[in-house]
Amino acid sequence: MSEQRLSVFKTYKLYVGGKFPRSESGRVYEVSDSKNKWLANAPLSSRKDARDAVVAARKAQGGWAGKTAYLRGQILYRVAEMLEGRKDQFVREVAEAEGLSKSKAAAVVDAAIDRWVWYAGWTDKIAQIVGGGNPVAGPFFNLSSPEPTGVVTVVAPQKSSFLGLVSVIAPVIATGNTAVVIASEDSPLPALSLGEVLATSDLPGGVVNILSGRTAEITPSLAAHQDVNAIDLAGVEDDVLAKELEVAAADNLKRVVRPQAVDWSADPGTHRLTAFLETKTVWHPTGSLGASGSSY
Amino acid sequence: MTSTPSASKAFEYAPAPESRSVVDIAPSYGLFIDGEFVEAADGKVFKTVSPSTEEVLSEVAQASSEDVDRAVKAARKAFEKWSALPGAERAKYLFRIARIIQERSRELAVLETLDNGKPIKETRDADLPLVAAHFFYYAGWADKLDHAGYGADPKPLGVAGQVIPWNFPLLMLAWKIAPALATGNTVVLKPAETTPLSALFFADICRQAGLPKGVVNILPGYGDAGAALTAHPDVNKVAFTGSTAVGKAIARQVAGTDKKVTLELGGKGANIVFDDAPIDQAVEGIVTGIFFNQGQVCCAGSRLLVQESVQDEVLDALKRRLTTLRLGDPLDKNTDIGAINSAEQLARIKALTETGEAEGAERWSAPCELPSAGYWFAPTLFTNVTQAHTVARDEIFGPVLSVLTFRTPEEAVAKANNTQYGLSAGIWTEKGSRILAVADRLRAGVIWANTFNKFDPTSPFGGYKESGYGREGGRHGLEAYLDV
């Protein structure tokens, strides 16, 4: 009997606004493993899906940034906890996506989980590292603090379908931004499964939105979107497209992280945290209130 | 503003002109490349005039793309040795420069006032002390970069191409050159075409300080020279302060390259006055916010948001205060409002204020006589302004204040944030929790609470949204010039 049993395929869906919609376009595309064996049909997102994801990300941004850094840290850690519990699934998906042996895929997934933990610990420390009081020459209290830049479009790395993906999402949301993520075009399945983990990790809907599809089709409208504040071009491998996206991003002066060679297994440093932060400096008189002579 | 009868009586002052004899302006200046003053490759020159009198001050060589290439080559050559110099030695050069600026600060203040049109009171008491302070501050960083938070031994980028505006010519030069040199970069700087002189005097200060040749190069010129500089393939770092439109053009131009870019662009700062604000101080802050440097300030508080219940009180006090401002000879130590920097800028301010009137906003200008020569604009405010009005949306970059009202803190925050810009904002209230809550929600890089327009080299400055990216000043300002 057992060999008679038909396995149950998974219908992969997008993750937008905390929900799992199909592409509004009704399209899918075939996803194969490294040996060209069919794995699943992934949603082929349209530009409309991308715009919907921006709406969801914008809606979620204020609330997410407004949570305490302590709570954001716990929620990021919760993602690591949930991943740990579903490790086998991700090891299988990463092995298939990247053509890795099971043990190598397991090491990649472990590293990705550890990376969530690392970023979970940053949420309530980054302000102390990059902000602080400034010793101005005058009777003023003067404090610089980092703030999220807003909604960030993240083009996830193409080859590193999971560790690379986590390495570009976690720093964006650790600092209070919300993200619209374009998964690896050829290997989107680990990203779409990550959506299921995020949905059960106390992360508010809309903080991370995950789209699969053609990078060249979806990214131009996101790079030009007036309600997107920053764009990480990590996964744009085509130099011509990368340049076009950077030009489009200039239209509302989006913060841009250009594509560059990254060893995703190396210590990530704080670069990707600070790339999506603004610095706000607040001044207030201490004592004398100026010419009128009034004082404390 | 001697024409207001009541004001003239109470505020009649004898003229107190600062002598211009401390400045020796040569009839002509070259470009400063590789430690020498040289003619432009194509021999072109342009005239720089005093905005308050239209007197021609000097004739200055006009850089072309060929000159840009020469200067970048000189900077590249100098980079090798300059970046290899121990930080402590670079520091000493910067300390020397800071000291020479202090020694020559009266000369430079008068020069800046002549070339820019701003009151001597401001160049003497604000610009020059800050210029020296910036060199002092960044001098100290040169041998402490390991401690700046960017890891051990952070590296300079190479040749920095820097383009600065005309509103604070020497201060913007200091903001750009001090951190660039402290971190081991070399510099090609293009000052604005209407205010090239103080940068050329700075070249002489570099000479006095014994700065190695080619470390600082100064190229007076127009927008085409600036564009050639920021586009130059051998420039590693682009730093620009100026309009948002040009900032966007630069962002497009450097797309696809590995140039690091920082942009300090326009603003439309909201100055929010709550009903419990100390009104007298708030009025002073509003005046400082929009009439300092004739309002030609990117972080100017050009939108006054006043709580409805105190609108009349604030506006009456503000108008009364404006009638006491003295407009006229910028070299007179009593002058509050100097000349607009150029005929072109004056025309832009006039066009935008005419649009304001045409759209139905109510215009009030302080009664005053404008000098017959030079470029002048009386302090002006618009009431009956809505958020849709041009004068509430576009940066005017002149002494023009738009007044809007609000009822609740929520409405104040929403209106303050309703702009493409995000450079500065002001909050006036006696309630501490309100200051912190509102400051938290304003999307702006610098927020002044119960004060306005304060600057300090230790304090990061820069914008959110379309006011640009990157920060200048403080430890944050180092990042722009380091490979991190």
Side-chain angles (χ1 to χ4, degrees), chain A residues 130 147 255 258 280-281 294, chain B residues 259 281 439 442 464 468 476:
Chain A
V130 302
E147 289 193 345
R255 282 64 176 138
R258 292 177 177 139
K280 178 186 278 180
T281 302
S294 102
Chain B
K259 287 186 178 124
Q281 287 92 336
L442 291 174
Y464 284 43
H476 296 74

Side-chain angles (χ1 to χ4, degrees), chain A residues 17-35:
Chain A
K19 296 192 165 61
F20 296 95
R22 293 186 163 91
S23 168
E24 65 80 34
S25 65
R27 302 176 303 172
V28 293
Y29 69 111
E30 289 192 11
V31 177
S32 317
D33 67 9
S34 57
K35 296 188 183 78

Side-chain angles (χ1 to χ4, degrees), chain B residues 182-261:
Chain B
T183 46
N185 299 272
T186 55
V187 162
V188 179
L189 177 131
K190 189 200 86 72
E193 66 267 22
T194 59
T195 53
L197 292 183
S198 52
L200 294 166
F201 273 56
F202 180 79
D204 188 52
I205 289 171
C206 293
R207 184 191 58 75
Q208 288 186 327
L211 195 72
K213 289 178 176 190
V215 172
V216 168
N217 304 274
I218 309 279
L219 298 182
Y222 284 74
D224 61 327
L229 178 58
T230 56
H232 197 287
D234 204 29
V235 163
N236 307 96
K237 154 77 191 177
V238 170
F240 172 74
T241 295
S243 75
T244 292
V246 174
K248 288 180 181 180
I250 290 173
R252 285 183 201 106
Q253 189 188 50
V254 300
T257 71
D258 57 4
K259 287 186 178 124
K260 195 158 176 171
V261 185

